[in-house]
Amino acid sequence: MTEPVLDVHLTPEDAAIALRAEARAGLTARPKWVSPKWFYDAVGSDLFEEITRLPEYYPTRAEREILVARAAEIASLTGAHSLVELGSGSSEKTRLLLSALRSHGTLQEFVPLDVSPSALTEAARAILAAYPGLRVHGVVGDFTEHLGLLPGAPPRVVAFLGGTIGNLIPEERDKFFASVRDVLEAGEWLLLGTDLVKDPDVLVRAYDDSQGVTAEFNRNVLRVINRTLDADFDPADFEHVALWNAEEEWIEMRLRALRPVKAHVAALSLDVEFAEGEELRTEVSAKFRREGVTRELTAAGFALERWWTDPEGRFALTLARAVG
């Protein structure tokens, strides 16, 4: 196979309609918010890759350390024929899993899911080039909506890495875990990456680095809205804020207006005003404890089989099995 198979369940038009609806809801709410989905245009994706290499941003390195140590064990425990990855599948972490499953002798198919057709096609082609003979069946879709349409030959392991689960609030996580369980047969697997609760200073520095890369990444949300929704926000009117919410045990990223702001969002026929000091929440990143992860997975119909952390205990990988 020289080209990946691609199933499209989310067209660019569908995505645009959904984002417009979310933008209207968030920009007219009190307090105001926007979805972190707005981060990831080409510039935002490049900035995030830069963030993952910053000394303060430990999650990517910590998760990779676990996978280097445990990928062979994951392959042996799951015996998976298919690796399903929620998110673009060309990263080094994906390849650690694919290589381990291939070495174990069970890998037949890779199923990456992503909202971006171009990113998905590029990632799938890279995997095809690196793993000759592997079936690659990409799915253009949203992991909050299209899990029921995932292909793949059982037994499958669904990988949701990078701590992205933390971007969902508890009610959304419950729905997500239930949706994953619904598409899996008893005995199939979920591999979940979660950032752990730790010293708030360490957490805040990971989201407010000394070089200002995360601040630029955060303000890029406004540039994406300007371009996508014909708006006229000036990113210079806002400062980056990252804070630890101890009650919810999550990091919040916000943009705080440095002065009174008026902006027009032409695509929504919407005028938006910020008072000086008013904030726009752009991301929640929940941090976890083992007992909480176990509780949420158990409620959705999973049994926690393995819990691994990096040597410093910063990040965890959970391997959970779907039970009947």
Side-chain angles (χ1 to χ4, degrees):
M1 181 186 295
T2 57
E3 283 292 314
V5 176
L6 214 62
D7 294 343
V8 179
H9 302 301
L10 182 72
T11 67
E13 292 75 20
D14 294 332
I17 290 169
L19 283 173
R20 284 198 295 270
E22 284 193 4
R24 179 180 295 278
L27 292 172
T28 57
R30 292 191 179 276
K32 296 182 178 71
W33 58 271
V34 293
S35 168
K37 294 174 186 176
W38 291 101
F39 283 135
Y40 296 102
D41 67 341
V43 172
S45 295
D46 288 344
L47 285 168
F48 183 73
E49 285 301 311
E50 189 175 348
I51 288 169
T52 65
R53 297 188 290 269
L54 293 169
E56 298 98 331
Y57 194 81
Y58 61 85
T60 301
R61 293 188 299 276
E63 187 177 47
R64 183 187 177 278
E65 288 175 14
I66 305 170
L67 282 167
V68 167
R70 301 295 182 178
E73 188 176 352
I74 292 166
S76 178
L77 286 166
T78 64
H81 293 170
S82 301
L83 173 63
V84 179
E85 186 176 26
L86 308 183
S88 181
S90 64
S91 72
E92 182 183 4
K93 291 184 293 187
T94 306
R95 295 176 184 228
L96 288 168
L97 289 168
L98 289 171
S99 295
L101 287 165
R102 173 161 277 192
S103 295
H104 187 64
T106 57
L107 181 66
Q108 299 175 6
E109 188 171 19
F110 176 52
V111 181
L113 179 145
D114 199 279
V115 297
S116 167
S118 57
L120 188 64
T121 300
E122 181 180 350
R125 286 174 176 164
I127 293 296
L128 272 173
Y131 296 87
L134 180 65
R135 293 200 305 270
V136 179
H137 192 151
V139 178
V140 180
D142 187 326
F143 66 75
T144 64
E145 296 181 29
H146 301 112
L147 292 182
L149 302 170
L150 289 174
R156 293 168 292 182
V157 56
V158 175
F160 194 38
L161 303 177
T164 306
I165 188 67
N167 294 147
L168 306 181
I169 62 174
E171 296 78 9
E172 293 170 332
R173 292 200 302 269
D174 290 344
K175 180 180 177 182
F176 169 78
F177 288 135
S179 298
V180 175
R181 177 62 191 89
D182 285 346
V183 304
L184 295 180
E185 299 176 5
E188 293 189 299
W189 302 87
L190 170 65
L191 182 66
L192 179 69
T194 51
D195 196 7
L196 301 179
V197 174
K198 58 184 68 64
D199 183 340
D201 289 340
V202 174
L203 287 166
V204 170
R205 284 199 302 271
Y207 292 83
D208 193 11
D209 63 276
S210 59
Q211 298 178 46
V213 181
T214 311
E216 188 65 17
F217 174 70
N218 198 10
R219 279 190 288 265
N220 189 60
V221 165
L222 298 176
R223 298 186 184 94
V224 176
I225 291 173
N226 283 349
R227 186 181 67 255
T228 307
L229 298 179
D230 192 17
D232 57 4
F233 286 102
D234 183 349
D237 286 339
F238 294 83
E239 65 177 338
H240 167 67
V241 177
L243 57 86
W244 173 242
N245 183 324
E247 181 178 355
E248 300 289 354
E249 293 193 323
W250 64 40
I251 286 283
E252 292 184 16
M253 289 213 312
R254 304 175 182 176
L255 291 170
R256 179 182 295 150
L258 295 168
R259 57 192 66 85
V261 171
K262 293 184 178 181
H264 181 64
V265 186
L268 303 179
S269 300
L270 180 67
D271 291 310
V272 182
E273 295 188 10
F274 287 81
E276 181 178 349
E278 186 178 354
E279 295 175 340
L280 173 71
R281 193 181 78 186
T282 55
E283 183 179 68
V284 162
S285 186
K287 309 305 170 186
F288 296 87
R289 303 177 187 270
R290 179 171 181 166
E291 56 269 28
V293 174
T294 302
R295 182 177 61 252
E296 292 186 21
L297 289 174
T298 300
F302 288 96
L304 192 151
E305 297 290 341
R306 295 289 190 277
W307 169 273
W308 299 295
T309 68
D310 65 290
E312 295 180 46
R314 300 167 296 177
F315 198 93
L317 271 187
T318 301
L319 184 64
R321 180 175 48 84
V323 296

Coordinates of all heavy atoms in Angstrom, one line a residue, residues 31 198-209 214 218 239-256 277-287:
P31 N -18.0 34.0 32.8 CA -16.8 34.6 32.1 C -16.7 34.1 30.7 O -17.1 33.0 30.3 CB -15.7 34.2 33.0 CG -16.1 33.0 33.6 CD -17.6 33.1 33.8
K198 N 1.1 18.0 41.2 CA 2.5 18.2 41.7 C 2.6 19.6 42.2 O 1.6 20.4 42.3 CB 3.5 17.9 40.7 CG 3.4 18.7 39.4 CD 4.4 18.3 38.4 CE 4.1 17.0 37.8 NZ 2.9 16.9 37.0
D199 N 3.8 20.0 42.6 CA 4.1 21.4 43.1 C 3.5 22.4 42.1 O 3.8 22.4 40.9 CB 5.6 21.6 43.2 CG 6.0 22.9 43.7 OD1 5.2 23.9 43.7 OD2 7.1 23.0 44.2
P200 N 2.6 23.3 42.6 CA 2.0 24.3 41.7 C 3.0 25.1 40.9 O 2.8 25.5 39.8 CB 1.1 25.1 42.6 CG 0.7 24.2 43.7 CD 2.0 23.3 43.9
D201 N 4.1 25.4 41.6 CA 5.2 26.2 40.9 C 5.7 25.5 39.6 O 5.9 26.2 38.6 CB 6.3 26.6 41.8 CG 5.9 27.5 42.9 OD1 4.9 28.3 42.7 OD2 6.6 27.6 43.9
V202 N 5.9 24.2 39.7 CA 6.3 23.4 38.6 C 5.3 23.5 37.5 O 5.6 23.6 36.3 CB 6.7 22.0 39.0 CG1 7.0 21.1 37.8 CG2 7.8 22.0 40.0
L203 N 4.0 23.3 37.9 CA 2.9 23.3 36.9 C 2.8 24.6 36.2 O 2.7 24.7 35.0 CB 1.6 22.9 37.6 CG 1.5 21.5 38.0 CD1 0.3 21.3 39.0 CD2 1.3 20.6 36.8
V204 N 2.8 25.7 37.0 CA 2.6 27.0 36.4 C 3.8 27.4 35.4 O 3.6 27.9 34.3 CB 2.5 28.1 37.5 CG1 2.5 29.5 36.8 CG2 1.2 27.9 38.2
R205 N 5.0 27.0 35.8 CA 6.2 27.3 34.9 C 6.0 26.5 33.6 O 6.5 27.0 32.5 CB 7.5 26.9 35.6 CG 7.9 27.9 36.6 CD 9.4 27.8 37.0 NE 9.7 26.4 37.4 CZ 9.7 26.0 38.7 NH1 9.3 26.9 39.6 NH2 10.0 24.8 39.0
A206 N 5.4 25.4 33.6 CA 5.2 24.6 32.4 C 4.3 25.3 31.4 O 4.3 25.0 30.2 CB 4.7 23.2 32.7
Y207 N 3.5 26.2 31.9 CA 2.5 26.9 31.1 C 2.8 28.4 31.0 O 2.0 29.2 30.5 CB 1.1 26.6 31.6 CG 0.6 25.2 31.4 CD1 1.0 24.2 32.4 CD2 -0.1 24.8 30.3 CE1 0.6 22.9 32.2 CE2 -0.5 23.5 30.2 CZ -0.1 22.6 31.1 OH -0.5 21.2 30.9
D208 N 3.9 28.8 31.6 CA 4.3 30.2 31.5 C 5.8 30.3 31.5 O 6.4 30.7 32.5 CB 3.7 31.0 32.7 CG 3.8 32.5 32.6 OD1 4.1 33.0 31.5 OD2 3.6 33.2 33.6
D209 N 6.4 29.9 30.4 CA 7.8 29.7 30.3 C 8.5 31.0 30.3 O 8.0 32.0 29.9 CB 8.2 28.8 29.1 CG 7.8 29.5 27.8 OD1 6.6 29.4 27.4 OD2 8.6 30.2 27.2
T214 N 4.9 30.1 25.3 CA 3.5 29.7 25.6 C 2.6 31.0 25.6 O 1.5 30.9 25.1 CB 3.4 29.1 27.0 OG1 4.4 28.1 27.2 CG2 2.0 28.5 27.2
N218 N -0.6 31.2 23.3 CA -1.9 31.6 23.8 C -2.5 32.7 23.0 O -3.7 32.7 22.5 CB -1.8 32.0 25.2 CG -3.1 31.9 26.0 OD1 -4.1 31.5 25.5 ND2 -3.1 32.4 27.2
E239 N -2.6 40.1 27.8 CA -1.4 39.4 28.4 C -1.8 38.0 28.7 O -2.9 37.7 29.0 CB -0.9 40.2 29.6 CG -1.9 40.2 30.8 CD -1.3 40.8 32.0 OE1 0.0 40.9 32.1 OE2 -2.1 41.3 32.9
H240 N -0.8 37.1 28.6 CA -0.9 35.7 28.9 C -0.9 35.5 30.4 O -0.2 36.1 31.2 CB 0.3 35.0 28.3 CG 0.4 33.6 28.8 ND1 -0.5 32.6 28.5 CD2 1.4 33.0 29.5 CE1 -0.1 31.4 29.0 NE2 1.1 31.6 29.7
V241 N -1.9 34.7 30.9 CA -2.0 34.3 32.3 C -2.1 32.8 32.4 O -2.9 32.2 31.7 CB -3.3 35.0 32.9 CG1 -3.4 34.5 34.4 CG2 -3.2 36.5 32.8
A242 N -1.3 32.2 33.3 CA -1.4 30.8 33.6 C -1.5 30.7 35.1 O -0.7 31.3 35.9 CB -0.2 30.0 33.1
L243 N -2.5 30.0 35.6 CA -2.7 29.9 37.1 C -3.2 28.5 37.5 O -3.8 27.8 36.7 CB -3.7 31.0 37.6 CG -5.1 31.1 37.0 CD1 -6.0 30.1 37.8 CD2 -5.6 32.5 37.1
W244 N -2.9 28.2 38.7 CA -3.3 26.9 39.3 C -4.6 27.0 40.0 O -4.7 27.8 41.0 CB -2.2 26.3 40.2 CG -2.5 25.1 40.9 CD1 -2.6 25.0 42.3 CD2 -2.8 23.8 40.4 NE1 -2.9 23.7 42.7 CE2 -3.1 22.9 41.5 CE3 -2.9 23.3 39.1 CZ2 -3.4 21.6 41.3 CZ3 -3.2 21.9 39.0 CH2 -3.5 21.1 40.1
N245 N -5.6 26.3 39.6 CA -6.9 26.2 40.3 C -6.8 25.0 41.3 O -7.0 23.9 40.9 CB -8.0 26.1 39.4 CG -9.4 26.2 40.0 OD1 -9.6 25.7 41.1 ND2 -10.4 26.7 39.3
A246 N -6.5 25.3 42.6 CA -6.3 24.2 43.5 C -7.6 23.4 43.8 O -7.5 22.2 44.0 CB -5.7 24.8 44.8
E247 N -8.7 24.1 43.7 CA -10.0 23.4 44.0 C -10.3 22.4 42.9 O -10.7 21.2 43.2 CB -11.1 24.4 44.1 CG -12.5 23.8 44.4 CD -13.6 24.8 44.6 OE1 -13.3 26.0 44.6 OE2 -14.7 24.4 44.8
E248 N -10.1 22.8 41.7 CA -10.4 21.9 40.5 C -9.2 21.0 40.1 O -9.3 20.1 39.4 CB -10.8 22.7 39.3 CG -12.1 23.5 39.5 CD -13.4 22.7 39.6 OE1 -13.3 21.5 39.4 OE2 -14.4 23.3 39.9
E249 N -8.0 21.4 40.7 CA -6.8 20.7 40.3 C -6.5 20.7 38.8 O -6.3 19.7 38.2 CB -6.7 19.3 40.9 CG -6.7 19.3 42.4 CD -6.3 18.0 43.1 OE1 -6.7 16.9 42.5 OE2 -5.6 18.0 44.1
W250 N -6.6 21.9 38.3 CA -6.2 22.1 36.9 C -5.5 23.5 36.7 O -5.7 24.4 37.5 CB -7.4 22.0 36.0 CG -8.6 22.9 36.1 CD1 -8.5 24.3 36.3 CD2 -10.0 22.6 35.9 NE1 -9.8 24.8 36.2 CE2 -10.7 23.8 36.0 CE3 -10.7 21.4 35.7 CZ2 -12.1 23.9 35.9 CZ3 -12.0 21.5 35.5 CH2 -12.7 22.7 35.7
I251 N -4.7 23.5 35.6 CA -4.2 24.8 35.2 C -5.2 25.5 34.3 O -5.8 24.8 33.4 CB -2.8 24.5 34.4 CG1 -1.7 24.1 35.4 CG2 -2.4 25.7 33.6 CD1 -1.1 25.3 36.1
E252 N -5.3 26.8 34.4 CA -6.1 27.6 33.5 C -5.2 28.5 32.7 O -4.4 29.2 33.4 CB -7.2 28.3 34.2 CG -8.3 27.5 34.9 CD -9.4 28.3 35.5 OE1 -9.5 29.5 35.2 OE2 -10.1 27.7 36.3
M253 N -5.3 28.5 31.4 CA -4.7 29.6 30.6 C -5.7 30.6 30.2 O -6.8 30.2 29.8 CB -4.0 29.0 29.4 CG -2.8 28.1 29.7 SD -1.5 28.2 28.4 CE -2.4 27.9 26.9
R254 N -5.4 31.8 30.4 CA -6.3 32.9 30.1 C -5.6 34.0 29.3 O -4.3 34.1 29.4 CB -6.9 33.5 31.4 CG -7.6 32.5 32.3 CD -8.0 33.2 33.6 NE -8.6 32.2 34.5 CZ -9.0 32.5 35.7 NH1 -8.9 33.8 36.2 NH2 -9.6 31.7 36.5
L255 N -6.3 34.9 28.7 CA -5.8 36.1 28.1 C -6.5 37.2 28.9 O -7.8 37.3 28.9 CB -6.1 36.2 26.6 CG -5.3 35.2 25.8 CD1 -5.9 35.2 24.3 CD2 -3.8 35.5 25.8
R256 N -5.7 38.1 29.4 CA -6.3 39.2 30.3 C -6.1 40.5 29.5 O -5.0 40.9 29.0 CB -5.5 39.3 31.6 CG -6.0 40.4 32.5 CD -5.1 40.5 33.8 NE -5.4 39.3 34.5 CZ -4.4 38.7 35.3 NH1 -3.2 39.3 35.4 NH2 -4.7 37.6 36.0
G277 N -8.7 44.3 32.5 CA -8.5 43.2 33.5 C -9.4 42.0 33.3 O -9.2 41.0 33.9
E278 N -10.4 42.2 32.4 CA -11.3 41.0 32.1 C -10.5 39.9 31.4 O -9.7 40.2 30.5 CB -12.5 41.5 31.3 CG -13.6 40.4 31.1 CD -14.8 40.8 30.4 OE1 -14.9 42.0 30.1 OE2 -15.6 40.0 30.1
E279 N -10.9 38.7 31.6 CA -10.1 37.6 31.1 C -11.0 36.7 30.2 O -12.2 36.5 30.4 CB -9.6 36.7 32.3 CG -8.5 37.5 33.1 CD -8.1 36.7 34.3 OE1 -8.8 35.8 34.7 OE2 -7.0 37.1 34.8
L280 N -10.3 36.1 29.2 CA -10.8 35.1 28.3 C -10.1 33.8 28.6 O -8.9 33.7 28.4 CB -10.5 35.6 26.9 CG -10.9 34.6 25.7 CD1 -12.4 34.5 25.6 CD2 -10.3 35.0 24.4
R281 N -10.8 32.8 29.0 CA -10.2 31.5 29.3 C -10.0 30.7 28.0 O -11.0 30.5 27.2 CB -11.1 30.7 30.3 CG -10.3 29.4 30.8 CD -11.2 28.6 31.8 NE -12.1 27.8 31.0 CZ -13.1 27.1 31.6 NH1 -13.2 27.1 32.9 NH2 -13.9 26.4 30.8
T282 N -8.8 30.3 27.8 CA -8.5 29.6 26.5 C -8.2 28.1 26.7 O -8.3 27.4 25.7 CB -7.3 30.2 25.8 OG1 -6.2 30.2 26.8 CG2 -7.6 31.7 25.4
E283 N -7.9 27.7 27.9 CA -7.6 26.3 28.1 C -7.7 25.9 29.6 O -7.3 26.7 30.4 CB -6.2 25.9 27.6 CG -5.9 24.4 27.7 CD -4.5 24.0 27.2 OE1 -3.5 24.4 27.8 OE2 -4.5 23.3 26.2
V284 N -8.2 24.7 29.8 CA -8.1 24.1 31.1 C -7.3 22.8 30.9 O -7.4 22.1 29.9 CB -9.5 23.6 31.6 CG1 -9.4 22.6 32.7 CG2 -10.3 24.8 32.1
S285 N -6.3 22.6 31.8 CA -5.5 21.4 31.7 C -5.5 20.7 33.1 O -4.7 21.1 33.9 CB -4.1 21.7 31.3 OG -3.3 20.6 31.1
A286 N -6.4 19.7 33.2 CA -6.5 19.1 34.5 C -5.3 18.2 34.8 O -4.7 17.6 33.9 CB -7.8 18.2 34.5
K287 N -5.0 18.1 36.1 CA -3.9 17.2 36.5 C -4.6 16.1 37.4 O -5.6 16.3 38.0 CB -2.9 18.0 37.3 CG -2.4 19.2 36.6 CD -1.8 18.8 35.2 CE -1.5 20.1 34.3 NZ -1.2 19.7 32.9

